[in-house]
Amino acid sequence: MERVVVVGAGAMGAGIAFVAARGGYGVDLVDTDPSARDRAMERVRRDAVRAGDESIVQRVRPLSAVPVTGDAILAIEAVPERSDLKRSVLASLAAALGPGTPIASNTSSLSVTDLAGAVPHPDRVLGLHFFNPPAAMKLVEVVRAQLTSDAALDAALAFVDRIGKTAVVAEDTPGFIVNRVARPFYLQSMRALDRGIATVAELDALARGAGFRMGPFELMDLIGLDVNLATSESVYERTHAARLAPLAMQREMVAQGRLGRKASAGGFYEYRDGDYARFTPEPHALDESAAESERIAVVGFGNAAAELVELLGRRFDDVQHVERDDLLDELDVETTIAIDAGDGTSDRGDVVASLDGLLGPETVILVDAYATALGPCAARMRHPGRLIGYGILGSLEAQSVVEVVDSDAASDEALALAQELFGALDRAVVLVEDVPGLFLGRTVGSIVNEAMIAVQEGVACADDVDVAMRLGTNYPVGPIAWGREIGGARISRVLRALAAAEGEEFGPHRSLWLLDADDEESADPIPEPSVAPTLPG
Ligand code: NAD
């Protein structure tokens, strides 16, 4: 039986020992604290019972010190996240194990290359970043440090494969893939909350409605605001990227002890016996007579317009599609609701102004608020009260909740009709304030942007980034695939507006356009221009 050594038998070490033993390895599980060893063996036993294979327990041997052994095929340290401690553990592993045995660190935030410096042959050191709890989470980030040898990397990949996990190779950069690409989910959500876009519960509902398993605030409460802040701090300290800077809000909450579920003070929510005020909006009911009486026109071309025409056509008797802006005069003058879906990337102020002129004052006009600036658009209208902004990221298919802008100018009647219209499509509505990118546009857009920056920086390839985010954070779809669905130009537009309002650091990365290229592989790095040799003239 091949053996692995796991040092540190805490939450992660115990879980890693279990998955290794389940995969058929003998495990030496080392912890200096006897009570930690007992707790860890108890956990291994419990997990083994749950897995229906109690022989797993026999394969784990608790030890108080690293054994001097030549036969281990791999060692993994999972001691607390302190550089000095990890370096000394790595050094003692290097001294105790055979010279060829790869040594891995489960660090989430330290530089593996730095840690490897504590070992005489740093080429044997790499990162194996498991996710919590290791028994359940499929993903392992395999981190290649500057000097990691191919042999060490291959051995680690074979180990991950044998324990039934999915490996993605990541370069040794702050936050690796998952902890870095996930940052904007939290940071942009808190910025949105800070701007008063909607309440915590409404923003969480919007995120779940877009496919995230949990909203950002309930998730931060579950993770612990202190843990989440520490990850943000460490990624920020090592990247100095202004877009990833932690917010005063989270620092203050941590200082006040509002750490989330685990704290009596709660976090973003208050908890009573684990319960909190989760909000799930229901679609508005549509009056059946409205299905017959409303006359609907969809203006614009592209997938979003086509999808709206299709879905509305199933619910309403009278749906007209005007694909070209120069054919607006073909619009039925009796239209009661006009929805402009544009092309998804350009401001539709001109078209809305034309619609305002052509259609009777009662007609409600909906416009895609991710692409069109509502304020200037309303300012050009004779009847600005009828203008309603809405946000559909890529496809309504993937969204059960739609954000609709509750602007100062919008009339209550127009807002109510917009809610019923989406209700007729079985979509709930959350009303939000008019800020660039609204909530989902800014948040999902910034996640896609971060993923593209990571790919461009060579942290991992596009496919691996997508796999990592699906398995490591349960995103409904990988951020790069999601970006392709929404469109790079559309995301760029949202982020440009966000940057104009909140700072250049939030602007779109130049590589976003690659998402619109036809070639599936094209999210991978923009090739460096080849420099033609020049002869002295
Ligand atoms: P933990 O505090 O639960 O466990 C650490 C264990 O290491 C303790 O049992 C402690 O007694 C033991 N230990 C301390 N010094 C030791 C030594 N010199 N030799 C042997 N054992 C020693 O910590 P954790 O949450 O399991 O985290 C461990 C590592 O995993 C950290 O680097 C952390 O960043 C990383 N990580 C944690 C999570 C998570 O969600 N908890 C997720 C991914 C990675």
Side-chain angles (χ1 to χ4, degrees), residues 6 9 35 133 150 467:
V6 177
S35 63
D150 289 346
V467 168

Side-chain angles (χ1 to χ4, degrees), residues 59-107:
R59 289 198 285 279
V60 182
R61 178 168 71 178
L63 297 174
S64 58
V66 174
V68 178
T69 166
D71 69 349
I73 58 120
L74 172 72
I76 305 168
E77 74 72 20
V79 297
E81 191 77 345
R82 282 186 7 233
S83 179
D84 55 340
L85 177 62
K86 286 192 183 287
R87 288 171 65 96
S88 84
V89 167
L90 293 179
S92 65
L93 280 168
L97 305 177
T101 311
I103 304 174
S105 170
N106 185 45
T107 182

Side-chain angles (χ1 to χ4, degrees), residues 6-14 16 30-37 39-40 43 63-66 77-82 85-86 88-89 92 105-110 128-134 179 223 227:
V6 177
V7 185
M12 296 306 289
I16 295 168
V30 182
D31 203 299
T32 43
D33 176 357
S35 63
R37 291 199 298 273
R39 278 196 306 274
R43 278 199 54 176
L63 297 174
S64 58
V66 174
E77 74 72 20
V79 297
E81 191 77 345
R82 282 186 7 233
L85 177 62
K86 286 192 183 287
S88 84
V89 167
S92 65
S105 170
N106 185 45
T107 182
S108 338
S109 64
L110 301 170
L128 274 182
H129 186 224
F130 284 79
F131 289 77
N132 192 11
N179 277 339
I223 294 169
V227 175

Side-chain angles (χ1 to χ4, degrees), residues 206 280-284 400-403 419 422-423 426-430:
L206 274 170
T280 304
E282 291 294 328
H284 277 63
S400 63
V401 185
V402 175
E403 47 189 344
Q419 284 168 292
F422 286 113
D426 209 22
R427 300 302 189 275
V429 162
V430 166

